[in-house]
Amino acid sequence: MKVLIVYAHPEPKSFNAALKDTAIQTLKQEGHKVKVSDLYEMNFNPVAQKEDFTELSDKAFFKYAKEQQHSYQNDTLNPVIKEEFEKLLWADFVIFQFPLWWFSVPAILKGWFDKVLLFSGVYGGEYGRYNEARLTDKLAMISTTTGSPEGSYASNGFSGDIHEQILFHINHGMFYFTGMTPLEPFVAYTVSHSEEDRKNYLKEFEEKLKNIEQIKRIEYPKLEAFDENGQLKS
Amino acid sequence: MKVLIVYAHPEPKSFNAALKDTAIQTLKQEGHKVKVSDLYEMNFNPVAQKEDFTELSDKAFFKYAKEQQHSYQNDTLNPVIKEEFEKLLWADFVIFQFPLWWFSVPAILKGWFDKVLLFSGVYGGEYGRYNEARLTDKLAMISTTTGSPEGSYASNGFSGDIHEQILFHINHGMFYFTGMTPLEPFVAYTVSHSEEDRKNYLKEFEEKLKNIEQIKRIEYPKLEAFDENGQLKS
């Protein structure tokens, strides 16, 4: 399997870095091919802006999706973004390793989604959305760390339900929107509090990645299940 | 009322800009004081990094929240971030104006949350979280624009429920986490498709901002409603 790890943490000695290193080592041992996008090391610029394109189709009105389409069709995408896009197309499985900041991804990783998930390159244009988008041959998985304890992320917890309320905008809105099948996230809760917890989580992560086929897939309804108003047919 | 508008769109002629301008004009006419943070115009750097602090408490291990605390206590926060933090403390009401990109905020705005919502400055340290955090005297509201039609964001819509599944990580995870009371979001659906829709939405936004007291508040449970495992007491 070809695996891309998109990694976002500013500290190389962090637990997120340890999870990323565990993933690289485990996946390689299992015979997978691995590429890594270390966004902090790359000094990745997350701001969607005119400089993301080497030419603009409309200099008078900057519409990001339109310029993504133009640059995709004319091969005028900024080389840094193009390389990320090509890594994404290469991969069978994409792992996003990041600390949960404000119940979402760090800004540097949000910019990766804003910039690399190209309109007309992965959805729109000749492609549709969700199960009609381009990346239906790929799996995607969140691997993240939290500040609040596990109980608070359960249904009726004070943080909100980790799956239905918090990570939905990523699993459904980013992964599934582009066609990818989301795998059940790997969440390490409040790891900064205990060395033993950290060891156990690394071991658990390793075991998980040795058995990718057994990781639960998150199933969302296909587009054909919805009526012309965008509502589930009853 | 003192109102801060945090605005994130790269195109000054966009509909998001028109909504921002409508807000400024309406609020001033109603006698409110208004400040604006135009993140693209400011060239705001959203990447959480060492340069956000003029000194580090721990040069060997970069932990962002810890450095936020140190910089808050020692007045060593980067001046750009400090100014945003002071604007936030100044405001009674904060409006976030942005296009919904990948079911969340653009990266440049995510970085504003990552950087300005200081650990120990608005939560943690002497403050708690949610109704025990610092910003309980403030209202906050999302004003956003979407690419998919309204029906798809209803319960059972193909985009997901706009309130419970998509904007929850912002309203609950960013606003309420810091103590702010979220107001019902203003959402302009698929505005790029119709000039008439745009006019109607601007009018609707204006009317809404003339009657801030009547905008519905989103109520979340207080911390004391949860047990020691972080679960709602039954």
Side-chain angles (χ1 to χ4, degrees):
Chain A
M1 212 177 220
K2 289 173 280 185
V3 187
L4 171 62
I5 301 173
V6 183
Y7 162 66
H9 197 289
E11 172 53 58
K13 293 186 289 295
S14 65
F15 187 65
N16 270 271
L19 286 164
K20 179 255 299 171
D21 291 338
T22 294
I24 295 170
Q25 193 180 348
T26 306
L27 292 165
K28 285 187 173 171
Q29 278 171 357
E30 296 293 310
H32 301 297
K33 291 193 174 68
V34 180
K35 292 186 182 184
V36 180
S37 294
D38 180 339
L39 301 183
Y40 270 92
E41 191 190 52
M42 294 160 62
N43 204 16
F44 187 78
N45 180 340
V47 179
Q49 57 190 350
K50 292 180 181 173
E51 290 73 14
D52 296 342
F53 314 102
T54 59
E55 68 170 32
L56 295 176
S57 70
D58 187 346
K59 287 188 178 129
F61 191 102
F62 183 58
K63 190 166 166 59
Y64 200 74
K66 189 178 167 189
E67 297 302 338
Q68 286 186 315
Q69 180 170 37
H70 179 79
S71 73
Y72 177 69
Q73 289 169 346
N74 295 276
D75 196 16
T76 52
L77 193 62
N78 175 304
V80 173
I81 303 171
K82 188 180 172 188
E83 190 177 335
E84 291 305 301
F85 177 69
E86 286 172 350
K87 282 180 186 169
L88 175 63
L89 292 188
W90 167 86
D92 304 307
F93 179 27
V94 192
I95 299 173
F96 294 89
Q97 180 65 56
F98 60 92
L100 196 66
W101 283 357
W102 297 105
F103 299 88
S104 190
V105 296
I108 199 169
L109 178 52
K110 181 55 172 48
W112 191 94
F113 291 108
D114 291 346
K115 293 186 170 204
V116 178
L117 301 182
L118 297 179
F119 178 76
S120 96
V122 301
Y123 75 99
E126 65 177 296
Y127 306 106
R129 295 167 294 184
Y130 302 105
N131 54 301
E132 296 167 2
R134 184 174 187 181
L135 309 182
T136 51
D137 61 332
K138 301 181 195 313
L139 307 172
M141 187 175 82
I142 292 167
S143 173
T144 193
T145 56
T146 74
S148 291
E150 184 163 6
S152 79
Y153 292 95
S155 171
N156 279 334
F158 67 74
S159 295
D161 186 301
I162 190 85
H163 298 292
E164 291 304 316
Q165 298 183 292
I166 296 170
L167 300 179
F168 179 88
H169 74 287
I170 303 170
N171 280 322
H172 187 275
M174 303 180 199
F175 299 167
Y176 181 49
F177 188 94
T178 59
M180 297 194 280
T181 299
L183 300 187
E184 189 176 57
F186 181 78
V187 185
Y189 295 94
T190 59
V191 287
S192 58
H193 303 174
S194 154
E195 180 62 33
E196 197 186 333
D197 280 0
R198 283 197 288 267
K199 278 186 191 157
N200 290 338
Y201 274 125
L202 289 176
K203 188 73 193 156
E204 190 188 324
F205 194 44
E206 186 183 328
E207 290 305 317
K208 199 165 184 114
L209 294 176
K210 281 183 180 169
N211 299 284
I212 296 168
E213 302 307 324
Q214 288 173 42
I215 305 175
K216 191 182 155 198
R217 292 167 181 230
I218 301 177
E219 306 274 359
Y220 293 117
K222 291 186 164 52
L223 275 187
E224 47 269 37
F226 296 89
D227 64 21
E228 69 279 10
N229 297 314
Q231 305 271 297
L232 260 185
K233 293 172 190 164
S234 52
Chain B
M1 213 177 217
K2 288 173 281 186
V3 186
L4 171 61
I5 300 173
V6 182
Y7 162 67
H9 198 289
E11 173 52 59
K13 293 186 288 296
S14 65
F15 187 65
N16 271 270
L19 285 164
K20 179 255 298 170
D21 292 338
T22 294
I24 295 170
Q25 193 180 349
T26 306
L27 292 165
K28 285 187 174 171
Q29 277 170 357
E30 296 292 311
H32 301 298
K33 290 192 174 71
V34 181
K35 291 186 181 183
V36 180
S37 293
D38 180 340
L39 301 183
Y40 270 92
E41 192 190 52
M42 292 160 63
N43 204 15
F44 187 79
N45 180 339
V47 179
Q49 58 189 348
K50 291 180 181 173
E51 290 73 14
D52 296 342
F53 313 102
T54 59
E55 67 171 33
L56 294 175
S57 70
D58 186 346
K59 286 186 179 133
F61 191 101
F62 183 57
K63 190 167 166 58
Y64 201 74
K66 189 178 168 188
E67 296 302 336
Q68 286 187 315
Q69 181 171 39
H70 179 79
S71 73
Y72 177 69
Q73 289 169 346
N74 295 277
D75 196 17
T76 53
L77 192 63
N78 177 303
V80 172
I81 303 170
K82 188 180 172 189
E83 191 178 337
E84 291 305 302
F85 177 68
E86 286 173 351
K87 282 180 185 168
L88 174 64
L89 292 188
W90 167 85
D92 304 307
F93 178 27
V94 191
I95 298 173
F96 295 88
Q97 180 65 57
F98 60 93
L100 196 67
W101 284 357
W102 297 105
F103 298 89
S104 189
V105 297
I108 199 170
L109 177 53
K110 181 54 172 48
W112 190 95
F113 290 109
D114 290 346
K115 292 185 170 205
V116 178
L117 301 181
L118 298 178
F119 179 76
S120 96
V122 302
Y123 75 98
E126 66 175 296
Y127 306 106
R129 293 167 296 186
Y130 302 105
N131 54 302
E132 296 168 0
R134 185 174 186 181
L135 309 183
T136 51
D137 61 333
K138 302 183 194 311
L139 306 172
M141 187 174 84
I142 291 167
S143 172
T144 194
T145 56
T146 74
S148 291
E150 184 163 6
S152 79
Y153 292 95
S155 172
N156 281 334
F158 68 72
S159 296
D161 186 301
I162 189 86
H163 298 294
E164 291 304 316
Q165 297 183 293
I166 298 170
L167 300 179
F168 179 88
H169 73 288
I170 304 170
N171 280 322
H172 186 274
M174 303 180 198
F175 299 167
Y176 182 49
F177 188 94
T178 58
M180 298 194 279
T181 300
L183 300 187
E184 188 176 57
F186 181 80
V187 185
Y189 295 94
T190 59
V191 287
S192 57
H193 303 175
S194 154
E195 180 63 33
E196 196 185 335
D197 280 0
R198 283 198 287 268
K199 277 186 193 159
N200 290 339
Y201 274 127
L202 290 176
K203 188 73 194 158
E204 190 187 323
F205 195 44
E206 186 184 329
E207 290 304 317
K208 201 166 183 111
L209 294 177
K210 281 183 179 169
N211 299 284
I212 296 169
E213 302 307 324
Q214 288 173 40
I215 305 175
K216 191 181 156 198
R217 292 167 181 229
I218 300 177
E219 305 274 0
Y220 293 118
K222 291 188 163 54
L223 276 187
E224 47 268 39
F226 296 88
D227 65 21
E228 68 278 12
N229 296 316
Q231 304 271 299
L232 260 186
K233 294 171 190 164
S234 52

